[in-house]
Amino acid sequence: MRILITGGAGFVGSHLCDLLVAKGHQVVCMDNFITGRPENIAHLIGNERFSFVKYNVCDYLHLDGPLDAVMHFASPASPQDYLEFPIATLKVGALGTHKALGLAKAKGSRFLLASTSEVYGDPLVNPQPESYWGNVNPISPRGVYDEAKRFAEALTMAYHRYHGLDTRIVRIFNTFGPRMRPNDGRVVSNFIVQALQGKPLTVFGDGSQTRSFCYVDDLIGGVTALLMAESDKSVAERTNRAGFLSQPAGLPTESLHDPVNIGNPRELTVMEIARLVLKLTGSSSSLQHQPLPVDDPKVRRPDIRRAKVLLGWEPKIDLEEGLRKTIEYFRKALTVKG
Ligand code: UDP
């Protein structure tokens, strides 16, 4: 397949480029480096299956040649980043998604939208199934990301229903791993970098809020399974082979066009993450409480029954193993940077 990945030089996008190139696909990576980084894709430059276009996906999109799939991953994604770039975040979720969908329609490509667990906002239901509509404050500082992605989902479904485009939507829960930026502000990267540098770990609020963390290799496995899954018929066959006689309670008839949660359901409090990072790094850093950001979700945990039924997917890498690999990555990255 020839696949365009917008945001392909970002944390998740660059791992997707690696996986798809390794599987023998032609990958066109597009990024404007607002939060993506050239070093994430430097090793792919020169590979005949990989090409790079520096471009803002919000501008009119044209690409020569056939295209089998468009994967729309461009967007600031850490709270610190989308608070710093609120308008770029809204634009890439709205205008960028529109351009990417338009290109997919023109080329007859399959389209996959990278959506987010933030569409559930500060959820009143835990864990969150895809059927939950969410609890989002549209005018909160976080609203720029949440509403951009909710609009992107609505637009994607409209292209599917109105134009018959073959679309997929993945709702990505907290993800971590190598190539996170040391200063991107997310909890795992912050805690690891602080622990390795012997600085206090910044726990926002009392640290009782929860998140569920998925290692990036597991995530991109789920995302590519969703992209490649063929038809509702094959899903039905797989469902039967897996021994499911009926859909799990509370889920509508499964369709590959409906959003699919991809994440790791192991839920921890922020305090538990801090202690785990201290243990695995062997650091003696202290904990320093800081104010909780506005509208910070109190709980978050994916219900992944749909991914299991539709894709036969579930995460395989446990949190400690993923954290060890990530700590190793940051140890090296921080040494190189001095
Ligand atoms: N957090 C924290 N210390 C940090 C960074 C984040 O306690 O240095 C908290 C944050 O308030 C949230 C959780 O960790 O409750 C996850 O934050 P992150 O920015 O990683 O992503 P989110 O899940 O909020 O999008």
Side-chain angles (χ1 to χ4, degrees):
M1 287 171 78
R2 185 164 184 253
I3 303 170
L4 170 69
I5 305 178
T6 76
F11 161 48
V12 173
S14 65
H15 283 281
L16 268 176
C17 290
D18 281 346
L19 181 64
L20 292 169
V21 166
K23 282 179 180 279
H25 300 288
Q26 295 282 337
V27 170
V28 182
C29 167
M30 183 175 281
D31 209 295
N32 65 353
F33 297 134
I34 284 195
T35 56
R37 295 185 296 173
E39 58 259 44
N40 288 347
I41 51 164
H43 58 287
L44 288 169
I45 303 291
N47 187 315
E48 59 178 19
R49 291 200 292 275
F50 180 82
S51 59
F52 174 73
V53 188
K54 185 166 187 285
Y55 199 74
N56 184 343
V57 66
C58 298
D59 296 334
Y60 178 80
L61 255 194
H62 173 75
L63 214 60
D64 284 330
L67 205 55
D68 301 293
V70 174
M71 305 181 79
H72 185 40
F73 276 71
S75 177
S78 100
Q80 176 185 289
D81 289 339
Y82 54 73
L83 296 183
E84 186 180 348
F85 303 109
I87 296 172
T89 300
L90 282 159
K91 282 170 87 172
V92 76
L95 307 178
T97 304
H98 185 221
K99 298 294 181 291
L101 279 162
L103 180 69
K105 176 170 157 264
K107 300 278 189 185
S109 326
R110 187 170 286 175
F111 179 86
L112 185 144
L113 172 71
S115 185
T116 168
S117 56
E118 281 281 329
V119 299
Y120 303 120
D122 187 4
L124 305 176
V125 171
N126 197 38
Q128 296 83 52
E130 291 87 349
S131 54
Y132 178 52
W133 290 356
N135 178 38
V136 171
N137 175 0
I139 57 161
S140 136
R142 286 183 98 93
V144 296
Y145 185 62
D146 305 9
E147 295 296 359
K149 290 293 189 181
R150 288 169 71 95
F151 177 85
E153 287 198 6
L155 194 59
T156 301
M157 289 310 289
Y159 265 69
H160 170 62
R161 294 194 180 106
Y162 188 77
H163 292 305
L165 198 69
D166 183 0
T167 58
R168 316 283 155 100
I169 297 172
V170 55
R171 290 186 180 153
I172 299 173
F173 282 65
N174 292 67
T175 305
F176 71 100
R179 299 192 195 148
M180 294 180 92
R181 295 181 352 259
N183 57 349
D184 89 347
R186 285 189 256 213
V187 69
V188 171
S189 41
N190 270 8
F191 284 179
I192 292 177
V193 170
Q194 290 160 347
L196 291 177
Q197 295 181 333
K199 295 181 181 157
L201 271 52
T202 50
V203 174
F204 297 167
D206 64 5
S208 64
Q209 68 274 31
T210 69
R211 294 294 186 273
S212 309
F213 295 93
C214 187
Y215 188 65
V216 65
D217 288 356
D218 273 334
L219 174 89
I220 59 168
V223 169
T224 42
L226 179 61
L227 176 76
M228 301 296 174
E230 267 318 321
S231 67
D232 289 359
K233 184 164 167 287
S234 75
V235 168
E237 284 164 2
R238 210 171 315 139
T239 304
N240 289 339
R241 273 208 303 278
F244 291 99
L245 295 176
S246 57
Q247 302 299 341
L251 291 181
T253 308
E254 305 301 326
S255 158
L256 286 170
H257 308 297
D258 292 326
V260 178
N261 289 339
I262 297 285
N264 190 321
R266 180 171 162 197
E267 184 180 14
L268 284 89
T269 65
V270 165
M271 281 300 267
E272 286 170 332
I273 302 158
R275 288 198 201 98
L276 192 53
V277 168
L278 288 179
K279 185 175 130 204
L280 295 177
T281 52
S283 166
S284 51
S285 287
S286 59
L287 303 184
Q288 182 187 80
H289 288 272
Q290 294 191 357
L292 193 65
V294 177
D295 291 328
D296 194 284
K298 286 179 270 310
V299 291
R300 184 181 292 152
R301 177 184 176 191
D303 178 334
I304 58 166
R305 286 177 296 169
R306 184 174 285 176
K308 280 186 187 165
V309 170
L310 277 179
L311 312 172
W313 177 88
E314 60 184 321
K316 293 193 174 59
I317 299 157
D318 75 38
L319 182 63
E320 284 77 1
E321 185 188 346
L323 281 174
R324 277 195 200 95
K325 291 181 189 206
T326 312
I327 290 166
E328 221 28 63
Y329 166 79
F330 277 117
R331 236 189 253 285
K332 286 198 189 112
L334 295 174
T335 314
V336 170
K337 289 215 158 80

